[in-house]
Amino acid sequence: MIIHKPKKYRFPRDFLRIIEALGITVDPREKYVHPYLGYEMSQEEAADIMCDTPVGSLLDCIFDVNEIDIEELYDVLNSGRTRVHVKDLKLPKTIPIMPVEALGWSIRDLLKLMEADAIILPLHEIYETTFKDDLMIQGAKQLLDFDGQVLLSTVAPDELLTSEEFYDSVVKLYEEAGAEGVIGYDCASYVDMPSLLRALNVVVCLYKTFLLSKKGLNVIPLIKGYREAEWYVEKLKSLGYRNMSLHASYYIKAGVKGVYSNMQLHDSLKMNDYIISEKVNGYTIILGALSPAYEHFRREGFFSGNVKLAGLGWFLAAQRGQAYYINEEEHSRKVLRHVKIASDEIYCRCKACASRGGNKLLRLAAHNFNTMQEYHSP
């Protein structure tokens, strides 16, 4: 297919033929109810309105297709000839996301109490901070006094993800920090977005993921999209990616309440569960799963395949004064619980509890992670 690129794309109509040529079906006449304006319109009208008006605008969340090499994008995603080099990381079952914004340099003290073999650093909490400068000068392992594996995560607020400056910082930080891998790239692909905008974002995000690998980064891609998710994973596999990741916080929060904001979210959950168990060749890192709330999904049978669990819930619970413990229920089934503690001491056999004195929050947070890790150990 020869792409005759106009001088400037009339967003998003000119991009529709690219999306369709890549195998994603979008019906621009499909009806869409604008969440702010409240009336029904076509997908094409919704896409135009949500990019051109200040009311409910998504403009900051959508990639600018005029900054993309459309010809290369199409060739990479549709030729079947392009492959990336990916190192298969042997990761532990549980991987903590480190609370850089909340603790800053104190995460070094936290790590000394944790029994972690790998960690995730969220780039959006490091971006434009002095912590980032030290990370680039000393490297992650020296700065944190940590000899395990270090991953960087590109999961970030939507307006950052469309920033070329933020995207470029991913490459620089990966190279200077000496990280073993990067999770991403990320984009806005919500179930209630107009399908034309969501498909556009998903296509460009896949291309940006490929470019990170092309620049030498060891990428663990994020599964993105709603109806496009299976297409997305098949394209990733054709490029040579085996292991993947999924940001599951929305599913987990909705599942704990026993309700979903709409049927689209529930359909998306079932689709991603199917993709993880049937389509991904390697493991999938489930982001947002390091808390007792994830147990709802284990009991319901979701995300029970070859998965690694990552998240920040263990630290957030500690901030609320909650301690994790493992409870033996009937039939000797282990259940992870949390309880509000009143005293300054918690007692168990973990590395954090063996330490006396120091910062209570750090000890409680480390205890929670260590307990979580023990719970999920074979």
Side-chain angles (χ1 to χ4, degrees):
M1 175 183 178
I2 298 176
I3 306 287
H4 297 288
K5 183 176 179 180
K7 291 182 179 179
K8 188 171 179 64
Y9 275 88
R10 290 180 300 126
F11 181 79
R13 191 175 298 109
D14 287 329
F15 204 75
L16 178 59
R17 59 198 176 92
I18 307 297
I19 294 170
E20 292 176 336
L22 290 169
I24 300 179
T25 302
V26 176
D27 182 357
R29 297 166 298 177
E30 180 185 352
K31 295 302 179 183
Y32 175 82
V33 178
H34 194 291
Y36 294 98
L37 300 180
Y39 58 82
E40 196 175 77
M41 62 191 72
S42 72
Q43 291 285 337
E44 192 169 20
E45 289 172 325
D48 284 334
I49 286 176
M50 296 182 89
C51 287
D52 293 337
T53 67
V55 182
S57 174
L58 289 175
L59 187 57
D60 289 342
C61 307
I62 307 299
F63 293 120
D64 184 353
V65 295
N66 293 290
E67 296 177 352
I68 302 298
D69 186 334
I70 298 297
E71 288 81 1
E72 184 184 46
L73 178 151
Y74 181 82
D75 184 61
V76 166
L77 300 186
N78 228 35
S79 68
R81 299 186 302 269
T82 306
R83 303 280 289 182
V84 298
H85 173 71
V86 183
K87 181 182 177 182
D88 192 0
L89 297 176
K90 307 300 181 185
L91 294 172
K93 180 70 173 183
T94 52
I95 313 167
I97 295 175
M98 301 308 295
V100 178
E101 186 174 36
L103 295 181
W105 284 272
S106 293
I107 64 172
R108 289 177 294 193
D109 300 322
L110 176 59
L111 279 169
K112 288 182 173 66
L113 301 172
M114 295 172 65
E115 298 164 359
D117 297 313
I119 61 172
I120 296 172
L121 298 178
L123 280 170
H124 77 280
E125 293 187 9
I126 300 171
Y127 183 62
E128 295 185 335
T129 65
T130 55
F131 186 89
K132 181 193 78 170
D133 299 333
D134 288 345
L135 197 64
M136 295 180 70
I137 293 170
Q138 298 184 45
K141 295 182 189 299
Q142 181 178 338
L143 177 64
L144 301 176
D145 192 19
F146 178 69
D147 60 3
Q149 297 179 95
V150 177
L151 306 179
L152 305 178
S153 171
T154 66
V155 174
D158 297 331
E159 62 273 12
L160 270 184
L161 295 170
T162 55
S163 161
E164 287 299 312
E165 186 178 350
F166 179 76
Y167 185 80
D168 292 340
S169 75
V170 176
V171 179
K172 293 176 184 176
L173 267 170
Y174 177 88
E175 293 172 344
E176 300 296 333
E180 277 82 5
V182 60
I183 295 171
Y185 198 56
D186 193 15
C187 72
S189 60
Y190 305 112
V191 297
D192 54 357
M193 287 174 67
S195 58
L196 183 56
L197 297 186
R198 186 178 59 242
L200 183 154
N201 252 19
V202 163
V203 167
V204 177
C205 186
L206 180 53
Y207 177 59
K208 284 180 169 284
T209 299
F210 161 77
L211 290 180
L212 289 178
S213 293
K214 188 177 177 182
K215 294 175 185 292
L217 281 67
N218 193 39
V219 178
I220 302 175
L222 276 161
I223 299 171
K224 302 304 301 181
Y226 170 35
R227 294 170 184 164
E228 312 84 5
E230 187 171 359
W231 172 91
Y232 195 85
V233 169
E234 291 296 345
K235 288 294 182 183
L236 286 171
K237 288 164 61 177
S238 72
L239 289 170
Y241 296 103
R242 281 181 45 81
N243 304 315
M244 301 187 192
S245 55
L246 176 71
H247 191 202
S249 298
Y250 292 115
Y251 303 131
I252 292 172
K253 288 177 182 177
V256 168
K257 296 177 181 177
V259 296
Y260 293 90
S261 58
N262 52 51
M263 285 308 297
Q264 290 175 312
L265 186 61
H266 194 225
D267 290 344
S268 178
L269 167 62
K270 292 190 291 184
M271 170 61 73
N272 280 309
D273 180 60
Y274 163 74
I275 288 170
I276 289 169
S277 60
E278 301 294 334
K279 296 295 182 179
V280 178
N281 293 331
Y283 57 73
T284 303
I285 301 173
I286 308 296
L287 301 168
L290 277 191
S291 75
Y294 178 70
E295 293 308 293
H296 170 81
F297 287 82
R298 293 223 306 179
R299 289 192 293 270
E300 295 294 323
F302 290 116
F303 304 151
S304 57
N306 184 7
V307 298
K308 312 290 185 183
L309 307 178
L312 190 60
W314 52 277
F315 178 77
L316 300 178
Q319 285 186 312
R320 297 190 296 268
Q322 294 175 334
Y324 288 176
Y325 68 98
I326 300 171
N327 187 37
E328 294 282 350
E329 287 198 343
E330 57 180 310
H331 309 301
S332 300
R333 185 169 69 94
K334 292 193 304 183
V335 178
L336 187 68
R337 306 282 191 195
H338 56 74
V339 62
K340 186 85 171 180
I341 61 171
S343 70
D344 287 344
E345 298 295 336
I346 48 178
Y347 299 99
C348 76
R349 293 172 294 178
C350 81
K351 186 177 180 180
C353 293
S355 170
R356 292 290 181 259
N359 186 294
K360 176 188 173 183
L361 173 62
L362 299 188
R363 285 193 295 110
L364 182 54
H367 161 85
N368 284 348
F369 173 76
N370 296 341
T371 303
M372 177 73 69
Q373 183 163 260
E374 179 188 352
Y375 178 72
H376 288 291
S377 62

